[in-house]
Amino acid sequence: MRFVFLGLPGAGKGTQARVLSERLGIPQISTGDTLREAVQEGTALGIEARTFMDRGEYVPDGIMVRMVDERLHDADASKGFILDGFQRTVPQARALEEVLGQAGTPLDAVVQFLIGDVTAIRRIIGRSTCPACKRTYHQEWSPPADDSLCDADGTPLEKRSDEDALTVKRRLAVYREQTQPLEAFYAERDVLRAVDAEAPVAVVSARMFDALRDVL
Ligand code: AP5
């Protein structure tokens, strides 16, 4: 099964991709996490990507398409995957369509998580992330048992470098300019499933499973 998750920054793509990945036993492929790892390791990709990410802008399509194409050839993606954060532009969507078309493995569904700007900003400003297992927490809605440590592995939680209010506003604007056109792109292909994501995590998960019931 092959899925793409779309939605504003903070819509809960990562949170719900983890839920679906655990249920189906297919990998969650987060381009944001992969880029942040590259930044942390100081690779050439990381150094280049950081300048875009810290401004709240997108990393160039050529880099992203190569990165995802390589990842989809890994053995764990052979039975399916959830793409969390890819694609974000029409050229990326066309490139993925070509790669999957050649392999005879088209997407089963594109899930669009719908939230408003106010929720997006509150979710991102309140988020902290475990750098080891990538689990996310929220100071208001899903705090860790210990204020600053990951419940799963005890690693100190971190804030991302693109989570200040100004950068978040830029990320919302970039989404509207460059990613929103994908809604029409996938609606035309009849794979788009919209999920109202303005609800607690478990309710959104139930809505997601409901939206996907004919393909699961
Ligand atoms: P990326 O890391 O993918 O960021 P994003 O898409 O902006 O999304 P977020 O990770 O901020 O949010 P999310 O929807 O996953 O929400 P989450 O589940 O964490 O990308 C970062 C950057 O990398 C981009 O800006 C770009 O520069 C670059 N990049 C990545 N992919 C790229 C591409 N393909 N092309 C070009 N550039 C690319 O939830 C948020 C918070 O809310 C958490 O605290 C969570 O606990 C909480 N929460 C979640 N759901 C709920 C709920 N239902 N109720 C209450 N709280 C909730």
Side-chain angles (χ1 to χ4, degrees):
M1 278 162 287
R2 292 164 297 277
F3 303 105
V4 164
F5 280 11
L6 281 183
L8 280 178
K13 303 179 293 295
T15 303
Q16 298 301 336
R18 180 181 285 274
V19 173
L20 190 61
S21 164
E22 282 169 5
R23 172 80 69 93
L24 300 181
I26 56 175
Q28 165 189 7
I29 299 177
S30 161
T31 45
D33 283 347
T34 306
L35 289 168
R36 279 184 289 280
E37 274 164 22
V39 169
Q40 207 163 16
E41 287 163 10
T43 63
L45 165 68
I47 291 166
E48 186 173 2
R50 179 166 202 160
T51 57
F52 297 98
M53 295 170 80
D54 284 354
R55 288 199 301 259
E57 286 167 12
Y58 288 168
V59 175
D61 287 337
I63 297 177
M64 297 310 303
V65 168
R66 259 196 323 277
M67 195 176 103
V68 171
D69 192 14
E70 278 173 23
R71 178 65 183 87
L72 293 182
H73 283 90
D74 288 350
D76 68 337
S78 64
K79 291 213 177 79
F81 49 78
I82 303 159
L83 282 170
D84 158 17
F86 184 91
Q87 45 294 355
R88 294 184 192 231
T89 65
V90 171
Q92 289 182 15
R94 289 196 194 287
L96 181 72
E97 192 170 56
E98 200 181 314
V99 168
L100 297 181
Q102 278 167 4
T105 54
L107 290 173
D108 291 294
V110 174
V111 184
Q112 180 192 13
F113 294 93
L114 298 168
I115 58 167
D117 285 16
V118 173
T119 302
I121 291 167
R122 277 180 75 187
R123 285 196 187 164
I124 293 173
I125 301 287
R127 173 173 56 193
S128 54
T129 306
C130 173
C133 72
K134 315 299 178 206
R135 203 172 292 269
T136 60
Y137 297 87
H138 192 278
Q139 61 188 28
E140 212 175 321
W141 297 305
S142 50
D146 178 309
D147 207 25
S148 57
L149 301 179
C150 176
D151 289 347
D153 54 33
T155 305
L157 300 176
E158 291 179 352
K159 287 291 290 175
R160 284 169 34 179
S161 59
D162 60 355
E163 288 179 328
D164 61 286
L166 214 65
T167 312
V168 172
K169 283 190 181 148
R170 179 72 192 131
R171 285 166 61 197
L172 295 178
V174 169
Y175 182 92
R176 296 235 148 75
E177 281 160 27
Q178 298 192 46
T179 306
Q180 205 139 297
L182 289 180
E183 293 166 19
F185 182 91
Y186 284 118
E188 265 173 35
R189 284 152 179 80
D190 209 19
V191 286
L192 192 68
R193 314 286 168 93
V195 170
D196 176 358
E198 292 261 8
V201 172
V203 175
V204 178
S205 299
R207 290 175 182 168
M208 169 180 71
F209 285 115
D210 195 40
L212 293 175
R213 66 183 178 284
D214 60 319
V215 292
L216 290 179

